[in-house]
Amino acid sequence: MTKLSSDSIIYISEVMMPHKANVAGNIHGGEIIKMMDSAAYASARRYARSNVVTARIDEVEFHLPIMIGDLVTCTAQVVYVGTSSMEVVVTVDVEDLEAEGKKRALSAYFTMVALDKKGKPAHIATLELKTPEEEKAFAEGQKRYEIHKQRKTR
Ligand SMILES: CC(C)(COP(=O)(O)OP(=O)(O)OC[C@H]1O[C@@H](n2cnc3c(N)ncnc32)[C@H](O)[C@@H]1OP(=O)(O)O)[C@@H](O)C(=O)NCCC(=O)NCCS
């Protein structure tokens, strides 16, 4: 069975409220990572149609401050699949709702693992690649997957 990467796309948006911020109004990084993890979870679960857990998060780097009142949108998409694991790219866009335009604040790679009813890694559908961008993202995800595998067997 194959599935499309585009069918796994999930968007989560939220206006940032004061209880998520420090005294200067900057939103805590952990709040953003929690939103990203929720988006990755929904995307992977939609793809696998089973329970999924986060195994790994790569390349979290905050490029821009996110402030109280900003609209934060996380976009998550499965871009690579192994046997039971999926790589989900999550991007975070930030919009000041008192100005025009939005900016990319960060992106990260979440490795999510599908589990069966007994909590064991479960086989998932292979990914059908439709565009050159999807092929590129798949190849990059495969490189990271192979690096993780090599590290684990050392
Ligand atoms: C993720 C987990 C299920 C993997 O279990 P495991 O016994 O290592 O399973 P396996 O070695 O068979 O690996 C299963 C898949 O996960 C991948 N994987 C496991 N650990 C990984 C890691 N640290 N980084 C990337 N991929 C990982 C493997 O590469 C494998 O992928 P594949 O099936 O596509 O080849 C297990 O480590 C776990 O339950 N971790 C806790 C997850 C969790 O609770 N997350 C929330 C944190 S609060």
Side-chain angles (χ1 to χ4, degrees):
M1 186 184 179
T2 61
K3 289 195 178 177
L4 294 174
S5 173
S6 53
D7 287 342
S8 70
I9 297 176
I10 293 285
Y11 303 96
I12 296 180
S13 288
E14 196 179 319
V15 177
M16 293 295 110
M17 293 298 172
H19 68 280
K20 296 188 172 177
N22 67 18
V23 290
N26 299 84
I27 302 302
H28 295 297
E31 298 289 349
I32 302 302
I33 292 170
K34 186 166 184 290
M35 266 184 90
M36 295 170 81
D37 192 42
S38 297
Y41 170 78
S43 174
R45 191 174 168 108
R46 178 186 250 178
Y47 186 89
R49 299 285 164 180
S50 71
N51 187 25
V52 297
V53 287
T54 310
R56 183 185 191 90
I57 307 174
D58 287 300
E59 296 182 32
V60 178
E61 201 177 322
F62 293 91
H63 304 299
L64 289 176
I66 302 176
M67 308 304 290
I68 294 169
D70 284 348
L71 177 70
V72 171
T73 301
C74 293
T75 307
Q77 180 170 9
V78 173
V79 295
Y80 172 78
V81 302
T83 303
S84 65
S85 67
M86 292 149 273
E87 185 178 82
V88 183
V89 174
V90 183
T91 58
V92 179
D93 293 311
V94 179
E95 198 174 332
D96 174 350
L97 293 177
E98 293 184 4
E100 293 301 326
K102 61 180 179 181
K103 289 181 182 157
R104 175 68 39 87
L106 72 148
S107 57
Y109 303 99
F110 284 67
T111 302
M112 312 298 289
V113 179
L115 301 179
D116 65 17
K117 297 268 185 243
K118 291 181 178 162
K120 300 283 177 208
H123 281 234
I124 49 174
T126 52
L127 196 56
E128 186 180 339
L129 304 171
K130 288 274 193 195
T131 66
E133 291 75 23
E134 287 176 0
E135 282 171 14
K136 185 168 178 277
F138 186 91
E140 288 172 0
Q142 188 166 29
K143 269 190 212 152
R144 280 184 290 270
Y145 169 84
E146 280 162 5
I147 290 167
H148 300 154
K149 284 271 188 200
Q150 281 164 10
R151 279 201 200 122
K152 217 175 171 180
T153 52
R154 260 187 227 144

